[in-house]
Amino acid sequence: MNVRNCRSCGSIFNYVSGPVTCPACREKLEKKFQEVKEYIRENKGVGIAEVAEACDVDPGQIRQWLREERLELAEDSAIQLACESCGRAIRSGRFCEKCNANMTRNLQDILNEGRKQQTKPVRNSSDSAKMRFLK
């Protein structure tokens, strides 16, 4: 059993996976998320500071939801997120499409290289000239 203290309220709970928050705090946070999402839907073009103040949510939490791609900035928004790799402006997430594609391609190349090395038979140079007999 994995028992931990909630990072939000400090209560003890049985930790399974994900963020280290108790089920009650996780539920409160999800309600706040729904409230923020509804506020943004009703008030298009609002900034993070205004949403945070109106919904009584930490601006850092709103940025986290943007990074997790749970929220997305409007195309005409004055707020811009920056790609963590190249710095290009993005609407949500951590990386722009180009950097995401590059990372995916690099990972595929690494995986393919590993597969090629596994399939090559290992031979000793002294074994290649010997004749084999079955008994």
Side-chain angles (χ1 to χ4, degrees):
M1 183 184 250
N2 193 357
V3 178
R4 295 197 185 177
N5 288 62
C6 175
R7 287 187 181 163
S8 298
C9 68
S11 67
I12 296 174
F13 72 102
N14 184 19
Y15 176 76
V16 179
S17 67
V20 185
T21 53
C22 67
C25 288
R26 214 173 298 143
E27 189 175 317
K28 286 179 192 175
L29 192 60
E30 185 59 29
K31 284 181 183 176
K32 281 292 183 186
F33 171 74
Q34 295 300 328
E35 182 182 333
V36 165
K37 192 169 116 177
E38 190 61 34
Y39 184 83
I40 292 171
R41 187 176 292 138
E42 292 173 358
N43 304 287
K44 297 194 185 302
V46 294
I48 291 176
E50 185 181 337
V51 174
E53 188 176 318
C55 296
D56 192 31
V57 177
D58 182 49
Q61 181 62 57
I62 295 172
R63 284 187 200 90
Q64 181 180 347
W65 287 329
L66 286 165
R67 292 284 181 202
E68 293 173 350
E69 298 183 356
R70 293 186 74 189
L71 292 175
E72 186 174 303
L73 296 170
E75 287 185 30
D76 58 346
S77 176
I79 304 163
Q80 296 291 319
L81 291 176
C83 171
E84 291 181 12
S85 181
C86 70
R88 180 181 290 151
I90 55 175
R91 293 173 49 195
S92 71
R94 296 178 55 202
F95 303 102
C96 66
E97 288 180 26
K98 183 179 176 184
C99 292
N100 234 345
N102 284 340
M103 285 188 286
T104 302
R105 191 177 324 104
N106 290 341
L107 183 58
Q108 286 296 332
D109 291 346
I110 290 169
L111 290 173
N112 291 337
E113 184 67 28
R115 287 184 189 132
K116 287 178 185 175
Q117 288 178 356
Q118 288 178 351
T119 58
K120 288 183 179 178
V122 179
R123 295 185 177 178
N124 290 336
S125 59
S126 62
D127 287 346
S128 62
K130 294 182 179 179
M131 186 179 276
R132 306 276 192 271
F133 294 98
L134 296 175
K135 292 184 181 185

